[in-house]
Amino acid sequence: MKILLVFAHPEPRSLNGALRDVAVQALEAEGHEVRVSDLYADGWKSEVDRADFTQLAPDARLRVAAASGEAFAVGALTADVRAEHEKLLWADALILQFPLWWYTMPAILKGWVDRVYAYGFAYGVGEHSDDHWGDRFGEGTLAGKRAMLIVTTGGWEAHYAARGVNGPIDDLLFPINHGILYYPGYEVLPPFVTYRVDRLDDAGFERVAERLRERMRTFATTAPIPYRRQNGGDYLVPSLQLRPGLGDPAAAGFALHLEDAAVGG
Amino acid sequence: MKILLVFAHPEPRSLNGALRDVAVQALEAEGHEVRVSDLYADGWKSEVDRADFTQLAPDARLRVAAASGEAFAVGALTADVRAEHEKLLWADALILQFPLWWYTMPAILKGWVDRVYAYGFAYGVGEHSDDHWGDRFGEGTLAGKRAMLIVTTGGWEAHYAARGVNGPIDDLLFPINHGILYYPGYEVLPPFVTYRVDRLDDAGFERVAERLRERMRTFATTAPIPYRRQNGGDYLVPSLQLRPGLGDPAAAGFALHLEDAAVGG
């Protein structure tokens, strides 16, 4: 497979830097071809602003979705964004790697999403009507590809467990896994999460690295998270509510959006 | 009260810009004193990097939490970050206003959090031992103050309802309300969310504005979201798991972190 790894840590000598090298080497050892977008090294611009839309008249009001769609349609997005589109279309799979800062990705990676996920590319794709609410959540430009998160956090695993004070890690990552990766079509693999990274000694690092190598060895075959497809019949259109009768009555919140067979499975 | 509003939209002529003016005027009409941090207008830097830590030797490895704590302790954080600390300590309350982009805040506002929430200021506060896991989630530097989100989104309210495809809005905002605002001590008010903002005509805007004015009129008296305090006895230490027997058995995920009396109330 062809794999794009987007890396968002400011220090190449960090644990994240070391894990990135482990991941790339393990993927290449499997015969995969890997490209890396190193956001800090590349000086990635994080803010969506009017400089992103070169076709916009200087005195025109910036309407972000409209400006994004116009720029995408006429090939007027900036070169850095177009380069990422080219990589995303080249790749069969996407890996986002980052430290969990304040329960989500660092700003520079959010800025990669905000700017690269153009209207017409990642959203605003497909028919939008009262019968079909776009090609998204299982369909879209990036359908048929795989995606996965590699995440580090200083907190304890127990703090991110089902009853942990931070909230369950799967729920904290749902807005990314479901809302950013599944939305434009990716099949999303379970995340690779490392806890208590500030206390990792050499032996601890080697255990983490081996666990990561195993995930990279099985990258092409690991079963994705069984999110429901928006247009697969489980949701009413246009309200996009889960149909009555679907969903484990004991489940609530984000877990409703897993296929019924998967809950408690 | 003294109120800081942090505003994160690139276009002053946007709906968000208009709502900010509505909010500020309504708060001032109540006698509150308001300051605004306009991140785009101020050219806010979004990325945490080594330039943030002026005390760091040029060849030293950047360990973000450690560098942040050292810089905070000796007053070596950058001037833009210190100015935000001064405003946060001045204010009795914080409002974060932003358009929901990819189910969370825009990168520039995440960058405000990443950079302003220094170690020793917003985290790493209080004793950290096996008996007391820091002053956080209800305690901390900003305890006794109020906070609230003002959020706009293009999607329908139904899509963010309990069974909507996006996931419930309260769950999508939990990592911000609980993980970013409640963490350093704020009492968090229910968010003000406006849906379908791309379809808003003048009459629709006036309805939204009036609803926002009402929230601003009652800002000082609105009951906060009843999150459980980390150090109030509901969590085991150091695992920080909710004690057995607490939490509605029918609740799961983030809702467990509301006080029992609040669930279903």
Side-chain angles (χ1 to χ4, degrees):
Chain A
M1 300 176 80
K2 297 172 187 148
I3 300 175
L4 173 64
L5 190 155
V6 179
F7 179 74
H9 196 286
E11 174 55 83
R13 293 166 291 179
S14 60
L15 172 67
N16 266 279
L19 291 178
R20 175 195 53 190
D21 295 344
V22 166
V24 170
Q25 287 165 17
L27 289 167
E28 290 179 342
E30 290 294 310
H32 300 307
E33 188 179 350
V34 184
R35 292 168 75 180
V36 174
S37 290
D38 185 336
L39 299 185
Y40 274 98
D42 296 345
W44 182 261
K45 170 182 178 279
S46 302
E47 305 84 10
V48 170
D49 59 24
R50 52 192 312 129
D52 289 330
F53 311 114
T54 57
Q55 87 288 355
L56 200 66
D59 58 348
R61 172 176 160 185
L62 170 59
R63 298 173 187 267
V64 172
S68 174
E70 289 160 14
F72 177 71
V74 301
L77 288 166
T78 55
D80 58 350
V81 170
R82 285 185 283 119
E84 296 304 302
H85 287 182
E86 181 271 320
K87 291 182 218 173
L88 288 169
L89 295 173
W90 164 85
D92 304 304
L94 171 67
I95 295 174
L96 303 181
Q97 186 187 347
F98 56 94
L100 198 67
W101 287 352
W102 297 104
Y103 303 105
T104 186
M105 53 178 63
I108 198 171
L109 182 53
K110 183 60 182 12
W112 181 90
V113 174
D114 288 346
R115 296 185 60 235
V116 171
Y117 268 36
Y119 186 99
F121 182 79
Y123 70 117
V125 175
E127 177 195 342
H128 280 69
S129 70
D130 279 359
D131 296 321
H132 183 97
W133 204 269
D135 296 342
R136 56 179 214 168
F137 293 122
E139 298 175 299
T141 299
L142 302 165
K145 302 175 187 284
R146 316 194 125 214
M148 175 177 161
L149 304 181
I150 297 177
V151 179
T152 61
T153 171
W156 292 20
E157 185 165 4
H159 303 176
Y160 292 92
R163 293 170 64 84
V165 70
N166 294 327
I169 190 71
D170 285 343
D171 285 347
L172 291 167
L173 297 180
F174 179 91
I176 302 174
N177 277 331
H178 186 264
I180 291 175
L181 295 176
Y182 191 57
Y183 188 105
Y186 285 112
E187 294 294 324
V188 185
L189 306 190
F192 180 86
V193 183
T194 307
Y195 300 93
R196 288 190 83 173
V197 295
D198 298 331
R199 305 297 171 124
L200 220 50
D201 59 14
D202 286 350
F205 173 77
E206 191 41 48
R207 283 192 297 273
V208 171
E210 187 48 37
R211 203 161 53 84
L212 178 57
R213 286 187 200 101
E214 178 61 20
R215 285 298 306 274
M216 297 295 99
R217 277 193 288 264
T218 55
F219 185 86
T221 55
T222 297
I225 302 171
Y227 292 129
R228 299 175 190 274
R229 295 162 61 92
Q230 175 182 288
N231 300 318
D234 285 0
Y235 296 94
L236 301 167
V237 180
S239 78
L240 301 185
Q241 304 263 338
L242 191 61
R243 282 185 191 281
L246 291 182
D248 185 333
F254 298 147
L256 286 174
H257 303 287
L258 300 172
E259 292 174 2
D260 281 5
V263 176
Chain B
M1 300 176 81
K2 296 172 188 149
I3 300 175
L4 173 65
L5 190 154
V6 179
F7 179 73
H9 196 287
E11 172 58 82
R13 293 166 291 178
S14 61
L15 172 67
N16 267 280
L19 291 178
R20 175 195 53 190
D21 295 343
V22 166
V24 170
Q25 287 166 18
L27 290 167
E28 290 179 343
E30 290 294 309
H32 300 308
E33 188 179 351
V34 184
R35 292 168 73 178
V36 174
S37 290
D38 185 337
L39 300 185
Y40 274 98
D42 295 346
W44 183 261
K45 170 181 179 278
S46 303
E47 305 83 13
V48 169
D49 59 25
R50 55 189 312 126
D52 289 331
F53 311 114
T54 56
Q55 87 289 355
L56 200 66
D59 59 347
R61 171 176 160 184
L62 170 59
R63 300 173 187 267
V64 172
S68 174
E70 289 160 15
F72 177 72
V74 301
L77 288 166
T78 54
D80 58 349
V81 169
R82 285 184 284 122
E84 296 303 302
H85 286 182
E86 181 271 319
K87 292 182 218 174
L88 289 170
L89 295 172
W90 165 85
D92 305 302
L94 171 67
I95 295 175
L96 302 181
Q97 186 188 347
F98 56 94
L100 197 68
W101 287 354
W102 298 104
Y103 302 105
T104 186
M105 54 179 62
I108 198 170
L109 182 54
K110 183 60 181 9
W112 181 88
V113 175
D114 288 346
R115 296 185 58 235
V116 171
Y117 269 35
Y119 186 99
F121 182 79
Y123 69 118
V125 175
E127 177 195 341
H128 279 70
S129 72
D130 280 0
D131 296 320
H132 184 96
W133 203 269
D135 296 342
R136 54 177 213 167
F137 293 121
E139 297 175 298
T141 299
L142 302 165
K145 303 174 187 282
R146 315 193 125 214
M148 174 178 163
L149 305 181
I150 296 178
V151 179
T152 61
T153 170
W156 293 18
E157 186 165 2
H159 304 175
Y160 292 92
R163 293 170 64 84
V165 71
N166 294 328
I169 190 71
D170 284 344
D171 284 348
L172 291 166
L173 297 180
F174 180 91
I176 302 172
N177 277 331
H178 186 263
I180 291 175
L181 296 176
Y182 191 58
Y183 188 105
Y186 286 112
E187 295 294 324
V188 185
L189 306 191
F192 181 85
V193 182
T194 306
Y195 300 93
R196 290 190 82 175
V197 294
D198 298 332
R199 305 295 171 125
L200 220 50
D201 58 14
D202 287 350
F205 173 77
E206 190 42 47
R207 281 192 297 274
V208 172
E210 187 48 36
R211 204 162 52 85
L212 179 56
R213 285 188 201 101
E214 178 60 20
R215 286 299 306 275
M216 297 296 96
R217 276 193 289 264
T218 55
F219 186 86
T221 55
T222 298
I225 301 171
Y227 292 130
R228 299 174 189 276
R229 294 164 61 92
Q230 175 182 289
N231 300 319
D234 285 0
Y235 296 94
L236 301 166
V237 180
S239 77
L240 301 185
Q241 305 261 339
L242 191 60
R243 281 186 191 279
L246 291 183
D248 185 334
F254 297 147
L256 286 174
H257 302 287
L258 299 173
E259 292 174 2
D260 282 5
V263 175

